[in-house]
Amino acid sequence: MEILHLLADEAVQVGTSLLGSLNPTILGLIFGGSLLGLLVGSIPGLTATMALALLINLSYGMPLENAVAFLLAVYIGAVSGGLNAAIMINIPGTPSAAATCLDGFPLAKQGKGGLAIGTGLIASFVGTFFSIMVMVFLSPLVYKIALRFGHWELFLLALFGIMICGTLSAGKDPLKGWIVGFLGFAAAMVGMEQIFAYPRLTFDFLQLKGGIPLIPALIGVFGVSEFLAVLQENVAYKIDGRVGKVIPPMKEFIPLIPSAVRSGIIGVVIGAIPGAGEDIGSWLSYDVGKRRSKQGHKFGTGSYEGLICSEVANNAVIGGAMIPLLTLAVPGSPPSAMFLAAVWLHGVRPGPMLNFENPGFLPLVAALLILGSFAMLFWGLTLAKPMVAILKIKREILLPIIMPLTVIGAYAGGVRIFDVYLMLAFGVLGYVLRQMDYPLAPLVLGLILGPLADTSFRRALQQSRGAIMPLLERPIGLLLLLCIAWLIWTGVKRARQYYAEQAALADGEELSVE
Amino acid sequence: MTRKVYKGSGADFISAVCLVLFGAAFTIAALRMRVFNNSLLVSPGLFPLILGGVFILLGLLLLRSAAKRGGWYEASHVLGREHLHTFFTSPRVRKGTILLLMIVAYVATLGYVPFVWSTAGYLLVTFLYLKAMKLHWILLVSFLAAYAITFAFRDLFRIPMP
């Protein structure tokens, strides 16, 4: 009964926020942000994280509500915009649209590119909307649990976050994901620590006393390294098919509702897992859809169901990622990490205390996400043809213009040229890691969760006077500890299996060694 | 002499050695940090000390796995003079390095040259290197884009510029 009351209360608050947000400024920012997000997302090589990295600087001078509206609209637009390139040129605009290529491109080759884009956009809208509903009704319950977290549980949560993010993002070699996650922790150790204000690893650089600023690091890792990696490759592409009719007949969607709901659930769950991200949600949903559907054999040949599985899930990750972000300050995906950094700049501290410090923030986010998803659908359907035309512009022209924007983004937050140098250093680090097949998401998550892990761990030990046993008797902590142990066990097993498979497949490449 | 090695094992071997060295350096730095109230439990160096240990452990795990896959042999082959020459002269690596150097030069000029000029210069050189368009278009787009970015961010949105 209490839960129902809580949920009804939450729904009323979202409704109130929605009505309050219907003013020209916010609507203008939402429609503007959505359009910019769709544009950036449409360009192959530019991810949703990069879209936020490039446009975050526009939000610095805005009031909180306007900044949140703008950034959420960019986020939804960029995740959804990736489907244009995936369908028309078989190159995903964003990694989250990679699974969309499998059915979208065959549809485009059959002359149904427009219908595929329309279907994908409607699926994206459904996925976002579904995830917002889950976020609204689930977040208050997570808040209740989060309030019972002590220092020990918070430390374990941070550790669990980078372990699971490392496991999921590194593919078959979780060891690499964990290494990068701990590197993020190490980077977070730079600067004044929070208990004694003792400067660590600053090497007498005054600028490092405040720690490594998140936004320049994020822009470097996801912006600069991506810029280098994309321009380094000579990938030529051309548009073969015509766009044609965009709005699909609604009656074709009815048999696909169960697939959409299943994909929505998968997307939300993957989104709620720290750092997992839209691409994992989309691939997993596509894979499950292919195995569960009666029409699974048609997947990969131009199936609308396959397209829906991918597009519903990658957008459902948005709402899912907001659940741990708002309740525990743990971002569910790299773009949501960027959003977290932006709201920190505006003085909002997401986490278990958010409901007390900023009671209206969660309903506001939900309301703005709803408006953002409508804006995305509007622009996506009306501007489908011009969006495809943008793909004709060479990347060699577009990408260099983006570099000055990353410089402004890194500089404007702290108004220090040192932050631009940091961005560059993280860009090079990200580029090197990328070349060696290391995932980048755990690095960012480690950087965000590092201070929480450090402070919580030492405070927990201080409370228990150095004894480990009292800490092991706490049920939530024990559960998290078991999850971490399970992740390590399965991760090591998976890595061993991967290397064994690799060895069996290649059977060794003979190399002369003197 | 021939040995069985696997692609990527050399990179893993090299990164594992770097990780072990980084872990050792991190541990030493942590041990040098101040201890407050005669207790290591809350001292600033405790967490970095553990992290240093974790890096050494993960590095050794990766090293063992890479060594089993012939990592040492591939690493010594990769780091050989002949291979290094081929690596650095490959078009892909050369392009990445040149693009990176252009960004470094651009960032280095920012403190001394007005943003609009350094941006125009960076765009001009990058477009020329990438052969993005014809020369007159390159000149036009470089200066127009630099001016448009400066105007939009500095004058329209009032964002602080480098």
Side-chain angles (χ1 to χ4, degrees):
Chain A
M1 204 60 197
E2 194 198 348
I3 290 175
L4 283 176
H5 184 75
L6 198 74
L7 297 181
D9 191 38
E10 205 63 38
V12 171
Q13 283 191 51
V14 174
T16 315
S17 294
L18 198 58
L19 287 174
S21 305
L22 293 175
N23 66 62
T25 313
I26 290 191
L27 286 178
L29 285 167
I30 286 176
F31 275 82
S34 183
L35 183 61
L36 287 170
L38 275 166
L39 279 171
V40 178
S42 294
I43 301 165
L46 300 186
T47 61
T49 318
M50 189 147 175
L52 282 162
L54 295 175
L55 298 167
I56 203 167
N57 39 31
L58 294 181
S59 73
Y60 288 152
M62 295 179 192
L64 172 71
E65 203 172 319
N66 295 2
V68 172
F70 178 70
L71 292 172
L72 288 177
V74 170
Y75 184 6
I76 298 172
V79 172
S80 313
L83 64 86
N84 289 319
I87 290 168
M88 294 311 295
I89 55 173
N90 204 21
I91 297 173
T94 58
S96 61
T100 307
C101 292
L102 300 179
D103 284 297
F105 188 60
L107 280 168
K109 282 206 289 192
Q110 293 163 24
K112 297 175 187 166
L115 285 177
I117 290 175
T119 308
L121 286 166
I122 293 169
S124 300
F125 173 80
V126 171
T128 316
F129 205 83
F130 178 82
S131 71
I132 299 165
M133 293 302 119
V134 177
M135 181 195 93
V136 168
F137 295 120
L138 213 62
S139 295
L141 307 178
V142 182
Y143 273 127
K144 286 209 155 213
I145 300 167
L147 282 172
R148 293 166 66 184
F149 278 33
H151 293 302
W152 178 240
E153 286 78 14
L154 285 173
F155 159 68
L156 289 175
L157 181 76
L159 189 61
F160 172 75
I162 61 153
M163 295 299 286
I164 194 156
C165 178
T167 305
L168 289 175
S169 56
K172 291 178 175 171
D173 192 359
L175 201 62
K176 287 189 173 176
W178 299 340
I179 289 170
V180 176
F182 284 112
L183 278 178
F185 266 4
M189 295 301 108
V190 175
M192 297 259 209
E193 52 87 43
Q194 291 174 5
I195 297 179
F196 297 101
Y198 175 79
R200 291 184 298 198
L201 308 164
T202 56
F203 308 104
D204 292 331
F205 276 100
L206 197 65
Q207 297 95 327
L208 283 177
K209 288 238 164 109
I212 290 176
L214 198 54
I215 291 176
L218 279 169
I219 294 177
V221 169
F222 289 107
V224 178
S225 78
E226 222 160 77
F227 167 85
L228 289 169
V230 172
L231 274 184
Q232 195 181 31
E233 308 292 342
N234 282 321
V235 186
Y237 53 77
K238 61 175 185 158
I239 302 167
D240 284 329
R242 276 178 58 248
V243 177
K245 194 180 150 197
V246 176
I247 298 177
M250 285 299 143
K251 63 177 183 190
E252 284 187 19
F253 282 102
I254 294 160
L256 305 178
I257 290 173
S259 291
V261 172
R262 185 184 53 228
S263 305
I265 294 169
I266 292 172
V268 171
V269 172
I270 293 294
I273 295 173
E278 288 80 9
D279 43 342
I280 296 172
S282 153
W283 278 115
L284 186 67
S285 166
Y286 188 84
D287 184 49
V288 172
K290 193 176 177 180
R291 282 189 279 117
R292 297 291 299 269
S293 169
K294 285 176 189 162
Q295 305 289 318
H297 60 282
K298 289 186 180 167
F299 276 46
T301 60
S303 155
Y304 284 110
E305 193 178 354
L307 192 69
I308 282 176
C309 284
S310 158
E311 281 303 314
V312 169
N314 65 19
N315 273 69
V317 169
I318 297 173
M322 287 289 155
I323 300 172
L325 186 140
L326 295 172
T327 56
L328 302 161
V330 177
S333 64
S336 68
M338 195 58 97
F339 177 72
L340 177 69
V343 295
W344 272 347
L345 269 181
H346 282 87
V348 176
R349 311 288 305 177
M353 301 305 287
L354 180 72
N355 243 358
F356 299 101
E357 291 168 2
N358 291 77
F361 194 70
L362 171 70
L364 176 74
V365 168
L368 296 172
L369 279 172
I370 292 171
L371 292 174
S373 53
F374 274 106
M376 175 277 292
L377 190 65
F378 171 76
W379 285 128
L381 292 177
T382 50
L383 297 179
K385 285 175 191 174
M387 291 281 176
V388 172
I390 286 170
L391 297 172
K392 289 176 184 164
I393 303 173
K394 284 163 79 179
R395 279 190 292 190
E396 283 79 4
I397 301 171
L398 282 176
L399 289 185
I401 296 175
I402 277 160
M403 187 46 62
L405 304 186
T406 64
V407 168
I408 298 171
Y411 177 82
V415 197
R416 301 187 306 177
I417 200 78
F418 185 78
D419 289 348
V420 182
Y421 302 150
L422 269 180
M423 174 199 79
L424 194 58
F426 271 87
V428 175
L429 177 69
Y431 175 69
V432 172
L433 289 173
R434 216 183 259 262
Q435 299 300 310
M436 294 173 96
D437 282 336
Y438 283 85
L440 298 181
L443 180 75
V444 172
L445 199 66
L447 193 59
I448 292 171
L449 297 180
L452 176 78
D454 169 38
T455 315
S456 304
F457 179 65
R458 286 189 287 144
R459 287 206 169 123
L461 281 181
Q462 192 181 20
Q463 273 178 350
S464 70
R465 296 174 189 214
I468 292 289
M469 280 318 283
L471 299 173
L472 295 179
E473 287 164 6
R474 302 168 68 131
I476 299 175
L478 193 64
L479 184 71
L480 282 167
L481 211 55
L482 287 172
C483 289
I484 293 167
W486 179 77
L487 279 175
I488 295 172
W489 170 253
T490 52
V492 170
K493 221 167 85 174
R494 215 168 74 187
R496 274 186 181 177
Q497 205 178 349
Y498 167 63
Y499 290 128
E501 272 172 21
Q502 212 186 24
L505 271 174
D507 197 26
E509 207 174 87
E510 294 217 334
L511 181 78
S512 296
V513 179
E514 286 180 15
Chain B
M1 182 179 140
T2 60
R3 281 193 185 260
K4 284 184 173 180
V5 296
Y6 306 96
K7 269 193 173 171
S9 59
D12 285 354
F13 191 88
I14 296 163
S15 58
V17 171
C18 293
L19 196 66
V20 172
L21 293 175
F22 177 72
F26 213 72
T27 308
I28 293 165
L31 286 170
R32 284 182 181 171
M33 286 177 198
R34 203 170 141 187
V35 175
F36 288 88
N37 306 332
N38 284 330
S39 164
L40 189 70
L41 292 181
V42 285
S43 288
L46 177 67
F47 202 71
L49 184 69
I50 296 170
L51 275 180
V54 169
F55 284 131
I56 294 172
L57 180 74
L58 288 174
L60 289 174
L61 276 173
L62 190 63
L63 193 69
R64 183 169 160 262
S65 143
K68 273 187 178 175
R69 289 175 284 137
W72 164 248
Y73 298 100
E74 204 200 333
S76 51
H77 172 71
V78 164
L79 294 175
R81 186 182 289 178
E82 196 183 318
H83 190 275
L84 275 182
H85 181 259
T86 319
F87 178 76
F88 283 111
T89 49
S90 82
R92 198 173 160 272
V93 174
R94 202 171 47 206
K95 196 172 178 185
T97 312
I98 291 173
L99 285 170
L100 179 64
L101 288 175
M102 283 176 187
I103 300 171
V104 172
Y106 171 50
V107 168
T109 58
L110 282 173
Y112 310 98
V113 182
F115 181 80
V116 66
W117 290 109
S118 55
T119 301
Y122 165 74
L123 290 176
L124 185 77
V125 175
T126 312
F127 285 148
L128 279 172
Y129 173 67
L130 293 171
K131 293 177 187 144
M133 299 163 268
K134 285 182 179 162
L135 184 64
H136 59 278
W137 281 113
I138 288 179
L139 282 165
L140 188 71
V141 174
S142 306
F143 284 94
L144 218 61
Y147 179 75
I149 291 169
T150 313
F151 174 75
F153 284 90
R154 191 186 60 197
D155 303 325
L156 213 62
F157 295 105
R158 305 218 173 267
I159 306 285
M161 306 282 277

